[in-house]
Amino acid sequence: MPARTGIHWVRVVIPLTDERRINLPQWVLPSQRAITTQTQIDVMWFAAPYSYEVYWDGELIGRSGVVGRTREEEVVGLLENVFPIPRELLRAGKHVVAVRLSSFHYNFAAKQFGVGFILANFADLRANETRRVAYPIAGVGGAVLVGL
């Protein structure tokens, strides 16, 4: 994404199998082997330093802030969100994820900035978040015990 202000659209094609699993994630090059998820997709984790709206096959599935035509109209939202994807939208085949975003409050010095998303299973996503904080908590607990 360019770091200039304005309203932008980003589109990505997502191929799904008949079991609601992804065939070829957007970060895998066609020359590499395809990676498939082990669990059924039901949510999209999305992160961007902009106000944005996320569409799945033209249907709004989530938003953060208010996309505006000017800095005054734009309302900044959260950096990260998890959006449920309605089950009826997750049929086999190719799907288009489109993101409408405005970047009037983008105040970083970088020449460009990316957006990130992961198609995931909600239960797996939460389990990973729990595991991610478990080790630091255990380390702090151990340090406190040593300090006693």
Side-chain angles (χ1 to χ4, degrees):
M1 287 293 313
R4 66 181 188 275
T5 59
I7 294 179
H8 309 280
W9 281 92
V10 177
R11 291 179 184 84
V12 177
V13 175
I14 305 291
L16 292 181
T17 68
D18 58 349
E19 298 149 352
R20 292 190 348 213
R21 291 180 172 84
I22 192 166
N23 273 343
L24 187 64
Q26 72 280 7
W27 56 86
V28 177
L29 299 174
S31 61
Q32 297 173 323
R33 66 182 176 82
I35 296 173
T36 57
T37 61
Q38 300 302 311
T39 56
Q40 292 186 336
I41 294 166
D42 59 3
V43 297
M44 175 187 290
W45 171 88
F46 192 87
Y50 312 108
S51 301
Y52 54 86
E53 299 169 342
V54 180
Y55 297 85
W56 183 280
D57 290 340
E59 193 159 324
L60 180 68
I61 62 168
R63 65 169 38 113
S64 181
V66 176
V67 176
R69 292 175 296 178
T70 65
R71 186 175 177 92
E72 291 73 31
E73 288 181 11
E74 180 184 63
V75 177
V76 179
L78 299 174
L79 177 64
E80 296 181 21
N81 280 290
V82 175
F83 302 122
I85 304 170
R87 186 177 179 88
E88 61 272 11
L89 296 178
L90 290 170
R91 61 193 177 283
K94 291 184 179 179
H95 300 275
V96 176
V97 173
V99 181
R100 179 176 175 248
L101 51 89
S102 58
S103 57
F104 292 100
H105 287 88
Y106 178 83
N107 296 317
F108 299 101
K111 292 182 181 175
Q112 63 183 18
F113 200 91
V115 297
F117 72 92
I118 298 171
L119 298 173
N121 177 274
F122 183 74
D124 290 346
L125 194 64
R126 287 295 158 228
N128 288 337
E129 287 294 316
T130 302
R131 277 188 233 115
R132 190 175 78 173
V133 298
Y135 292 112
I137 289 172
V140 169
V144 167
L145 287 175
V146 169
L148 295 176

